[in-house]
Coordinates of all heavy atoms in Angstrom, one line a residue:
G741 N -60.7 214.1 8.9 CA -60.3 213.9 7.6 C -61.3 213.4 6.6 O -62.5 213.6 6.9
A742 N -60.9 212.9 5.5 CA -61.8 212.5 4.4 C -62.4 211.1 4.6 O -63.2 210.8 3.7 CB -61.1 212.7 3.1
R743 N -62.0 210.4 5.6 CA -62.5 209.0 5.7 C -64.0 209.1 6.0 O -64.5 209.7 6.8 CB -61.7 208.3 6.8 CG -62.0 206.9 6.9 CD -61.0 206.3 7.8 NE -61.4 204.8 7.9 CZ -60.8 204.0 8.8 NH1 -59.8 204.5 9.6 NH2 -61.1 202.8 8.9
P744 N -64.8 208.1 5.3 CA -66.3 208.1 5.5 C -66.6 207.6 6.9 O -66.0 206.8 7.5 CB -66.8 207.2 4.5 CG -65.7 206.3 4.0 CD -64.4 207.2 4.3
S745 N -67.8 208.2 7.4 CA -68.4 207.7 8.7 C -68.7 206.2 8.6 O -69.1 205.7 7.5 CB -69.6 208.6 9.1 OG -69.2 209.9 9.2
V746 N -68.8 205.6 9.8 CA -69.2 204.1 9.9 C -70.4 204.0 10.8 O -70.4 204.4 11.9 CB -68.0 203.3 10.5 CG1 -68.5 201.8 10.6 CG2 -66.8 203.4 9.6
P747 N -71.5 203.5 10.2 CA -72.7 203.3 11.0 C -72.6 202.1 12.0 O -71.9 201.1 11.7 CB -73.8 203.0 10.0 CG -73.2 202.6 8.8 CD -71.7 203.1 8.8
C748 N -73.0 202.3 13.2 CA -72.8 201.3 14.3 C -74.1 201.2 15.0 O -75.0 202.0 15.1 CB -71.8 201.7 15.3 SG -70.1 202.0 14.4
K749 N -74.3 200.0 15.8 CA -75.5 199.7 16.5 C -75.3 200.1 18.0 O -76.3 200.1 18.8 CB -75.8 198.3 16.4 CG -76.2 197.9 15.1 CD -76.8 196.5 15.0 CE -77.3 196.2 13.6 NZ -78.1 195.1 13.4
S750 N -74.1 200.6 18.4 CA -73.9 201.0 19.8 C -72.8 202.0 19.8 O -71.9 202.1 18.9 CB -73.6 199.9 20.7 OG -72.3 199.3 20.4
A751 N -72.9 202.9 20.8 CA -71.8 203.9 21.1 C -70.4 203.1 21.4 O -69.4 203.6 20.9 CB -72.1 204.7 22.3
K752 N -70.6 202.0 22.1 CA -69.3 201.2 22.4 C -68.6 200.7 21.1 O -67.4 200.8 21.0 CB -69.7 200.1 23.3 CG -68.5 199.3 23.8 CD -68.9 198.2 24.8 CE -67.7 197.5 25.3 NZ -67.9 196.5 26.3
Q753 N -69.4 200.2 20.2 CA -68.9 199.7 18.9 C -68.3 200.8 18.1 O -67.1 200.7 17.6 CB -70.0 199.0 18.1 CG -69.5 198.5 16.8 CD -70.6 197.9 15.9 OE1 -71.8 198.4 16.0 NE2 -70.4 197.1 15.0
A754 N -68.9 202.0 18.1 CA -68.4 203.1 17.3 C -67.1 203.6 18.0 O -66.1 203.8 17.2 CB -69.4 204.3 17.4
C755 N -67.0 203.7 19.3 CA -65.8 204.1 19.9 C -64.6 203.1 19.7 O -63.5 203.5 19.5 CB -66.0 204.3 21.4 SG -66.9 205.8 21.7
E756 N -64.9 201.8 19.6 CA -63.9 200.9 19.4 C -63.4 200.9 18.0 O -62.2 200.9 17.7 CB -64.5 199.4 19.6 CG -63.4 198.4 19.5 CD -63.9 197.0 19.8 OE1 -65.2 196.8 19.8 OE2 -63.1 196.1 20.0
I757 N -64.2 201.3 17.0 CA -63.8 201.4 15.6 C -62.9 202.6 15.5 O -61.9 202.6 14.8 CB -65.0 201.6 14.7 CG1 -65.8 200.2 14.6 CG2 -64.7 202.1 13.4 CD1 -67.1 200.3 13.9
L758 N -63.3 203.7 16.2 CA -62.4 204.9 16.2 C -61.0 204.6 16.8 O -60.0 205.0 16.3 CB -63.1 206.0 16.9 CG -64.3 206.7 16.2 CD1 -65.1 207.6 17.1 CD2 -63.9 207.3 15.0
A759 N -61.0 203.9 18.0 CA -59.8 203.7 18.6 C -58.9 202.7 17.8 O -57.6 202.9 17.7 CB -60.1 203.0 20.0
K760 N -59.4 201.7 17.2 CA -58.7 200.7 16.3 C -58.1 201.5 15.1 O -56.9 201.2 14.7 CB -59.5 199.6 15.9 CG -59.7 198.6 17.0 CD -60.6 197.4 16.5 CE -60.7 196.3 17.6 NZ -61.5 195.2 17.1
A761 N -58.7 202.5 14.5 CA -58.2 203.2 13.5 C -57.2 204.1 13.9 O -56.1 204.4 13.2 CB -59.3 204.0 12.7
A762 N -57.3 204.7 15.1 CA -56.3 205.7 15.6 C -55.0 205.1 15.9 O -54.0 205.7 15.7 CB -56.9 206.4 17.0
V763 N -55.0 203.9 16.4 CA -53.7 203.3 16.8 C -52.8 202.9 15.5 O -51.6 202.8 15.6 CB -53.8 202.0 17.6 CG1 -54.4 202.3 19.0 CG2 -54.5 200.9 16.9
K764 N -53.4 203.0 14.3 CA -52.7 202.8 13.1 C -52.3 204.1 12.4 O -51.6 204.1 11.4 CB -53.7 202.0 12.1 CG -54.0 200.7 12.5 CD -55.0 200.1 11.6 CE -55.5 198.7 12.1 NZ -56.6 198.1 11.4

């Protein structure tokens, strides 16, 4: 969708951000 990308320092952090957004 139209939500902007989020820069992260690790793949693990990026995946956690995606998962937390998905459950909402």
Side-chain angles (χ1 to χ4, degrees):
R743 193 168 172 187
S745 299
V746 176
C748 301
K749 293 189 179 195
S750 69
K752 183 176 183 175
Q753 179 188 26
C755 287
E756 183 175 17
I757 288 169
L758 289 170
K760 284 182 175 178
V763 299
K764 296 176 186 173

